[in-house]
Amino acid sequence: MVRGDFLRGFGSMIPLWVGVVPFGLAYAVSARSAGLSLLETQLMSLVVFAGSAQFSAAGLFLINASSVSLVLTTFIINARHLLYSLSLGQRASYSWGRQAISAFFLTDEAFGIVTSQGNYGFAFLLGAELSLYGVWNLSTFLGALVGEVVPDPTVLGADFVFPVAFLALLIPLIRSRLDLAVAAGAGVAALLLAGQIGSGLAILITGVGGSLLGAWLSGREDNPSP
């Protein structure tokens, strides 16, 4: 049963590899261009394991930014993971060791797959997480080796994979007008804020705001005014 759940989680991420591989290659090229060695480039993927944060870090290395800037930028970009962890914590009871493991490997994609399928078992979650971790690190290694021959993933249209994938995960979760109102409101707010404050912080703010909006609207439905 545990092995089956792990393999199902692992396999559920395979369709997203087509979007992950080009960005892993492109990150490695950016990191190498910023002066990072092959080992340093690979260690970023092994230890940090956060695509957007790694791209930002490569740019900061290029301009010799301070370590404080690197840490703060990474924190802001990945702050949305606090919401993911809170959500998982309400639905799954893991031991401290499993919490630490799942938190380290947690990504947007793994959280989306687990939530959409309603399978919060540790084996399924770990399978999904390691599936992406493996392909991301392999892509990083290949990108660091082949260098400048890697094309821009946005030119290939690979950046289109993730929004479409998350829409496919979101739509089955919308079961009422309230769900639709919250999803639409949070989506519009995220789009408006992303251009002003960056996508990482925008997702965090709209995630919290959407949760509060959903709670308020649910309260109104449960306790209508006389």
Side-chain angles (χ1 to χ4, degrees):
M1 180 64 177
V2 171
R3 181 181 179 184
D5 280 346
F6 179 88
L7 292 176
R8 279 190 288 274
F10 191 95
S12 67
M13 300 297 290
I14 292 177
L16 297 178
W17 287 5
V18 66
V20 172
V21 171
F23 279 96
L25 296 170
Y27 151 69
V29 173
S30 300
R32 296 286 279 154
S33 299
L36 273 68
S37 67
L38 173 60
L39 178 60
E40 290 168 336
T41 299
Q42 192 65 48
L43 278 175
M44 282 275 285
S45 283
L46 288 168
V47 177
V48 178
F49 185 43
S52 55
Q54 290 179 228
F55 269 104
S56 298
L60 292 172
F61 277 122
L62 186 61
I63 61 174
N64 295 316
S66 67
S67 57
V68 174
S69 297
L70 284 166
V71 172
L72 286 177
T73 300
T74 301
F75 175 79
I76 291 172
I77 291 175
N78 290 325
R80 65 190 184 279
H81 285 240
L82 295 172
L83 297 178
Y84 298 161
S85 299
L86 288 171
S87 178
L88 287 176
Q90 292 178 340
R91 294 171 171 82
S93 297
Y94 301 148
S95 65
W96 281 104
R98 290 187 172 187
Q99 286 180 29
I101 292 171
S102 58
F104 175 78
F105 292 109
L106 187 62
T107 60
D108 302 305
E109 296 81 6
F111 177 78
I113 287 291
V114 167
T115 302
S116 66
Q117 297 197 17
N119 189 339
Y120 297 96
F122 178 72
F124 184 86
L125 173 60
L126 186 63
E129 292 177 333
L130 292 184
S131 179
L132 206 66
Y133 185 75
V135 74
W136 176 257
N137 278 280
L138 180 59
S139 302
T140 295
F141 182 70
L142 292 176
L145 291 179
V146 300
E148 295 297 335
V149 301
V150 177
D152 184 350
T154 57
V155 174
L156 298 177
D159 57 327
F160 189 64
V161 172
F162 296 112
V164 171
F166 276 103
L167 280 175
L169 296 174
L170 172 66
I171 290 174
L173 299 176
I174 299 177
R175 302 187 179 94
S176 67
R177 288 182 297 177
L178 188 151
D179 295 339
L180 179 60
V182 173
V188 171
L191 286 173
L192 294 175
L193 289 173
Q196 305 297 323
I197 59 176
S199 59
L201 191 55
I203 292 174
L204 177 64
I205 292 174
T206 53
V208 173
S211 299
L212 293 174
L213 175 62
W216 179 69
L217 291 176
S218 296
R220 286 177 60 87
E221 282 192 349
D222 294 338
N223 300 287
S225 300

